[in-house]
């Protein structure tokens, strides 16, 4: 069963997100790392359609099931590099700023 994506109805938001996506993906960062970062932020935000899309996109970039299933507990698993761990820690800190939850 395929999840239905909720799209923003405001064309300005859609355009802005499109520009942001292009900028992020043109920066030379490994696409697999970008997919992990997107998926982790989606998990934290509790966005089910985003998690679904993130997993699908990561698999297209040849991400492994083992790493995808372990992402929620990335600190406790041996499957991520130092650079990936740094990016995931930054992602969590940036995503949780409004919560006031330091980590």
């Amino acid at each position: 069963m395929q999840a239905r994506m909720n799209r923003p109805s405001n064309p300005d938001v859609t355009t802005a997100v499109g520009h942001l996506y292009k900028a992020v993906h043109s920066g030379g960062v490994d696409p697999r790392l970008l997919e992990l970062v997107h998926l982790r932020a989606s998990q934290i935000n509790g966005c089910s359609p985003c998690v679904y899309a993130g997993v699908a996109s990561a698999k297209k970039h040849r991400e492994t099931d083992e790493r995808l299933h372990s992402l929620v507990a990335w600190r406790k698993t041996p499957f991520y590099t130092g650079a990936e761990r740094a990016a995931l820690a930054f992602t969590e800190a940036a995503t949780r700023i409004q919560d006031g939850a330091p980590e």
Side-chain angles (χ1 to χ4, degrees), residues 1 3 19 22 24 28 31-32 42 45 52 65 74 85 88:
M1 183 169 165
H19 289 306
K22 284 181 184 177
V24 167
R32 286 180 61 196
S42 298
N45 288 327
Y52 182 90
D65 285 339
W74 64 269
R85 290 176 185 282
L88 292 168

Side-chain angles (χ1 to χ4, degrees), residues 19-33:
H19 289 306
L20 179 61
Y21 184 86
K22 284 181 184 177
V24 167
H25 284 83
S26 68
V29 176
D30 180 358
R32 286 180 61 196
L33 178 55

Side-chain angles (χ1 to χ4, degrees), residues 21-101:
Y21 184 86
K22 284 181 184 177
V24 167
H25 284 83
S26 68
V29 176
D30 180 358
R32 286 180 61 196
L33 178 55
L34 292 176
E35 296 300 340
L36 288 176
V37 164
H38 171 261
L39 179 56
R40 185 64 191 121
S42 298
Q43 290 172 335
I44 293 166
N45 288 327
C47 178
S48 176
C50 299
V51 169
Y52 182 90
V55 169
S57 186
K59 285 184 159 230
K60 286 180 185 174
H61 285 94
R62 300 193 306 181
E63 190 54 81
T64 67
D65 285 339
E66 184 174 55
R67 286 167 42 99
L68 291 173
H69 289 295
S70 300
L71 186 59
V72 71
W74 64 269
R75 285 184 175 85
K76 308 284 187 199
T77 64
F79 307 127
Y80 307 97
T81 67
E84 290 168 336
R85 290 176 185 282
L88 292 168
F90 181 79
T91 299
E92 288 189 1
T95 305
R96 291 186 166 142
I97 283 176
Q98 72 182 27
D99 298 340

